[in-house]
């Protein structure tokens, strides 16, 4: 085998290894990969779709879009231009994208910065410390999202923040009364000592929610059991910076765009010590999502609600091994 072939095979493997670390709803990791020569196929793993809260598959495709951006970043850092085709075959709806090795390139410093955060980035599920997120960084995150054709909008008005919080509270309250919603959430909550390599580990969520002001409730992964941590050490009830990620339309392609923009934003934030907490409850209820679109999103489609802040959360991340997700 030639050195050139070995190098390109290593680049493909590096991209697959990196893609595993993308964020996904409830850490469902709803993706699989197939390799043919120098081309990687990204496929939706529909068996991991949330059938109660994500009937259209929107969150599944956002998760897979994050994996797609991660592959692109890893390939660039291996020295190859990623050549991407999104939704290449209408007759194969589960085939979300193909990525092949293009021309040789030299990754820029910023791309390498993002690559370094792929395995270090963590999702946070509580309040943040009272350390402020620098305004200059927030503006940089806005630019990062725009590079992927999505819009990140920090919610500046305290009144608007309270509206988003109230929508999140309303959705969480309704879903908490729905047994199917609750069962779907705890399906992905791992008990202490579990050897599962997906879902949210017990040390990754609080036993009793840490309230923020205004309150942005988290998923109740501890529903009907006493798993979870005692609390968020070193964190206060600070809400952080509330931000909305939106797209002009609501197509499958734009859901993949959302995931790529989200991962770019998260990696850039992580490189500067900032974490994100997600609140998608209101987006899972069509009438609340429509209200948010009309009232706060200038007619664009809200795809993600998040809070950005500084925490000292050192929770270990878990991912399925490569042999489980790649052919």
């Amino acid at each position: 085998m030639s050195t050139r072939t070995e190098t390109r095979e290593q680049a493909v493997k590096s991209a697959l290894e990196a893609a595993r670390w993308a964020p996904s709803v409830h850490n469902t990791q709803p993706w699989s990969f197939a390799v043919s020569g120098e081309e990687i196929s990204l496929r939706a793993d529909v068996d991991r779709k949330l059938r109660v809260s994500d009937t259209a598959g929107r969150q599944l495709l956002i998760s897979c879009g994050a994996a797609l951006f991660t592959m692109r970043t890893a390939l660039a850092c291996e020295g190859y231009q990623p050549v991407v085709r999104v939704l290449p075959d209408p007759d194969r709806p589960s085939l979300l994208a193909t990525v092949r090795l293009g021309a040789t390139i030299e990754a820029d410093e910023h791309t390498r910065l993002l690559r370094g955060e792929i395995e270090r980035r963590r999702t946070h599920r509580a309040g943040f410390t009272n350390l402020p997120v620098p305004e200059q960084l927030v503006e940089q995150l806005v630019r990062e999202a725009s590079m992927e054709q999505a819009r990140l909008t920090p919610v500046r008005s305290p009144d608007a923040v309270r509206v988003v919080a109230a929508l999140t509270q309303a959705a969480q309250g309704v879903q908490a009364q729905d047994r199917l919603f609750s069962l779907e959430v705890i399906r992905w909550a791992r008990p202490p000592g579990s050897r599962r390599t997906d879902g949210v580990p017990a040390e990754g969520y609080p036993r009793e929610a840490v309230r923020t002001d205004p309150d942005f409730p988290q998923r109740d992964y501890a529903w009907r059991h006493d798993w979870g941590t005692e609390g968020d050490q070193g964190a206060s009830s600070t809400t952080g910076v509330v931000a909305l990620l939106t797209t002009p339309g609501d197509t499958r392609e734009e859901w993949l765009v959302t995931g790529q923009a989200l991962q770019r934003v998260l990696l850039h934030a992580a490189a500067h010590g900032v974490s994100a907490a997600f609140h998608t409850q209101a987006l899972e209820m069509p009438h609340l999502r429509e209200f948010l679109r009309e009232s706060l999103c200038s007619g664009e489609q809200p795809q993600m609600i998040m809070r950005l802040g500084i925490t000292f959360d050192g929770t270990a991340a878990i991912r399925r091994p490569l042999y489980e997700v790649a052919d």
Side-chain angles (χ1 to χ4, degrees), residues 128-150:
F128 293 110
T129 67
N130 56 13
L131 296 172
V133 178
E135 184 61 31
Q136 183 178 5
L137 176 60
V138 174
E139 292 305 319
Q140 289 173 344
L141 298 179
V142 171
R143 290 193 290 273
E144 292 293 313
S146 69
M147 293 178 68
E148 298 297 329
Q149 314 307 312

Side-chain angles (χ1 to χ4, degrees), residues 234-310:
S236 68
S237 59
T238 303
T239 302
V241 176
V242 177
L244 305 174
L245 188 61
T246 63
T247 54
D250 207 27
T251 63
R252 299 178 82 230
E253 184 172 0
E254 283 166 304
W255 297 343
L256 289 169
V257 162
T258 299
Q260 293 175 85
L262 176 65
Q263 179 69 327
R264 180 185 279 272
V265 166
L266 295 179
L267 294 177
H268 188 98
H272 294 83
V274 171
S275 300
F278 303 116
H279 301 276
T280 58
Q281 298 98 314
L283 304 183
E284 295 165 357
M285 308 188 73
H287 54 297
L288 295 183
R289 187 175 180 227
E290 180 63 15
F291 176 84
L292 190 61
R293 183 186 72 83
E294 292 180 348
S295 302
L296 293 179
C297 298
S298 303
E300 292 206 334
Q301 296 288 343
Q303 305 291 2
M304 185 62 68
I305 300 171
M306 70 184 86
R307 295 183 296 112
L308 300 165
I310 297 173

Side-chain angles (χ1 to χ4, degrees), residues 29-34 41-45 320 324-327:
Q29 304 169 51
W31 46 63
S32 67
F33 309 94
S41 294
L42 168 62
R43 305 174 301 196
D45 186 344
R320 291 188 289 161
E324 285 190 12
V325 298
D327 298 336

